[in-house]
Every structure is written in structure tokens, then in C-alpha cells.
Amino acid sequence: MRIRIVDAFTDRPFAGNPAGVLLLDAFPDDDRLQRVALEVNHSETAFAHRLPPGGEADWALRWFTPATEVAMCGHATLATAHVLHSTGAHEGPVRFATRSGVLTATPREDGSVTLDFPTAPLTPVEAPAGVAGALGAEPLTVLDTGPNIRDLLVEVADEDTVRALAPDLKALASHSERGVIATAPAQDPSRGYDYVSRCFFPNVGIDEDPVTGSAHTALAPFWSERLGRPDLTGLQASSRSGLVRTELRGGRTLLSGRAVTVIEGELLA
């Protein structure tokens, strides 16, 4: 069983968000998938197997954090598409059957991959009592992001505030099902990005996710409305950092980025 570690939403090794990718003949039992994800111990490990031809999807795809299975993951989908294309296992657009429906990944001539994901429905909510203290910053706007990603989207004052966040993760865990996305406009858009974010997901075993594709299905509609443009670039300002190009297309959000395979080996257990 081949296993690969792929850095997603980056064009260089040791940046972006690392994901484990395993291409299988079929899914083993859930306990084994979870144990492998715990052993890999990245924010997500993706498991995929080919589906019979003629259906609505080409590959089945599941994602596991070290603690649990999740309904949607952008960077591990990008990583899986990168492995399929770079190894010749699949050519052209690939359709994944997932818990969030059929998701498509399309390779581009520039070497990037574009993911077609459902846009997160945003609902303004009152800031939960204690969230400011847990996050370490005063919320300006708080939105629920719907059933696929299950986060709170929290706008804070500025980019410096986002970069300086040092949240109380135990306290933060009580405020949403998965975690909190903190965001602010870019201080200087001439640097190549329009907004910044950081993502904290203590409820699924991830203190801070380096670059989160699924979060950008909420960030894209939020900032597209604010900035008046459907096509934007987000910088996730974690220590590894990464860029996600977002294109809002109504009920769908296109997420584009690159990926690099950094480790390839054999799973022996």
C-alpha cells in the first residue's frame, strides 16, 4: 500500500498544508482508516479508490483527521488530485464521490488544480459569550458557516490581529462544532492577496490547520460581497502559510492552488 505526503496550496516543499494520500483497491473498515490517519498525524489523510466506469464519479474519497472522519476537506482533495495526475492514475478532470456530494478537481496548464466545492451558506449570528476571550480578539462580525464545514467565521479588526492570535483552544472548542475561522482584510493588497485567515479546529484534533480549502468556501462569499469581486486570493497566515485562489460562482466556489509531493513510501502494517 503506497502512501504519499503532499504539501497542498503551495508550490514548494515544507509549506502549505501537508496531507497523507493513499490510493486503495477498496476502503477497509473505518477503524483501520482512523488508525492510519492517526499514524500519519497530519491534519487530514485522504483515502481514495477507483469506481466502476459509467457512474457519476470516478473515485470514492474520504478524509480523516487524527481524531475523526470529516465531511469536507479542500487541501487533501487537492493533494489526492495531484497524486492521481502526477502518477498517471487519472487524466483530466476527476470526479470524487464524497460525503459532500460529487466534487470535481480539474488540472490547469499552469500546473495548478481547481476544485469545485459547494459554497458555504453564511448566517449572521450573535457572538457567543466568551468567544472574544477564547479567541483573544474582539469579533466585528460572526457567521455560522452551515453543515458542511460547521465553523464560526469571525471577522476581526485587521491583518495584524489575525497574525497575532494565540487562542485558548480548550475554551474555543465550546463555541462551534469544528472550530473557528478568523479573518480580516489584507493590510496591503499589492502583496498578492485580498484577505487573511487562520483556522483553529480543536474539536477534530487540529489546534491550527495550516491552509484550509474548505474554510475558503465560506471566506470566498464573505469577502466577495465585501470587496465587490468574485475572484480573490486568500492568504492563510499560519506558520507554514499558503495561498488559495477563490472564484465565487453562486452556489459553487472554485478553489485553486498547487501541490508538491514530498514523501513517498510503503505502508507496512
Side-chain angles (χ1 to χ4, degrees):
M1 188 183 296
R2 304 300 294 174
I3 184 168
R4 297 168 175 87
I5 305 299
V6 178
D7 290 342
F9 291 116
T10 182
D11 59 0
R12 65 187 192 278
F14 315 124
N17 200 352
V21 178
L22 293 94
L23 305 183
L24 310 172
D25 295 327
F27 291 136
D29 63 79
D30 290 2
D31 181 67
R32 177 161 172 77
L33 296 177
Q34 188 64 71
R35 286 175 180 270
V36 172
L38 178 59
E39 187 75 10
V40 172
N41 204 34
H42 286 312
S43 59
E44 303 284 352
T45 297
F47 302 90
H49 71 77
R50 193 187 303 272
L51 294 171
E56 65 174 2
D58 307 300
W59 291 75
L61 178 62
R62 297 172 71 180
W63 313 279
F64 285 76
T65 77
T68 189
E69 185 174 8
V70 297
M72 179 186 288
C73 179
H75 86 279
T77 304
L78 174 59
T80 304
H82 169 78
V83 169
L84 291 175
H85 296 137
S86 63
T87 62
H90 191 94
E91 295 183 0
V94 55
R95 300 167 300 166
F96 293 111
T98 78
R99 288 175 60 179
S100 295
V102 175
L103 307 176
T104 303
T106 302
R108 301 300 184 188
E109 291 184 0
D110 65 359
S112 67
V113 174
T114 297
L115 309 177
D116 184 338
F117 273 39
T119 301
L122 301 181
T123 304
V125 296
E126 293 291 329
V131 73
L135 185 61
E138 193 65 36
L140 302 182
T141 308
V142 181
L143 302 103
D144 178 84
T145 59
N148 283 333
I149 58 177
R150 311 182 320 278
D151 298 324
L152 281 184
L153 177 61
V154 178
E155 181 191 10
V156 297
D158 51 35
E159 179 174 337
D160 288 343
T161 300
V162 171
R163 291 181 179 274
L165 291 173
D168 179 338
L169 294 167
K170 185 176 181 180
L172 203 65
S174 65
H175 293 298
S176 69
E177 191 171 344
R178 183 174 75 161
V180 171
I181 307 164
T183 189
Q187 183 174 328
D188 180 6
S190 69
R191 297 176 65 183
Y193 55 91
D194 301 290
Y195 57 90
V196 296
S197 65
R198 288 175 68 192
C199 294
F200 307 100
F201 303 140
N203 287 329
V204 293
I206 304 168
D207 289 348
E208 180 171 4
D209 198 35
V211 189
T212 313
S214 60
H216 285 76
T217 66
L219 290 162
F222 180 78
W223 287 113
S224 289
E225 181 179 359
R226 290 290 187 91
L227 301 177
R229 291 183 286 124
D231 299 357
L232 301 170
T233 298
L235 172 72
Q236 196 153 328
S238 67
S239 59
R240 292 177 63 101
S241 190
L243 292 171
V244 183
R245 298 194 305 275
T246 61
E247 303 174 44
L248 187 63
R249 299 293 181 263
R252 309 296 294 184
T253 295
L254 305 185
L255 311 170
S256 297
R258 296 175 180 266
V260 181
T261 301
V262 293
I263 296 174
E264 182 175 350
E266 185 176 357
L267 185 65
L268 300 176

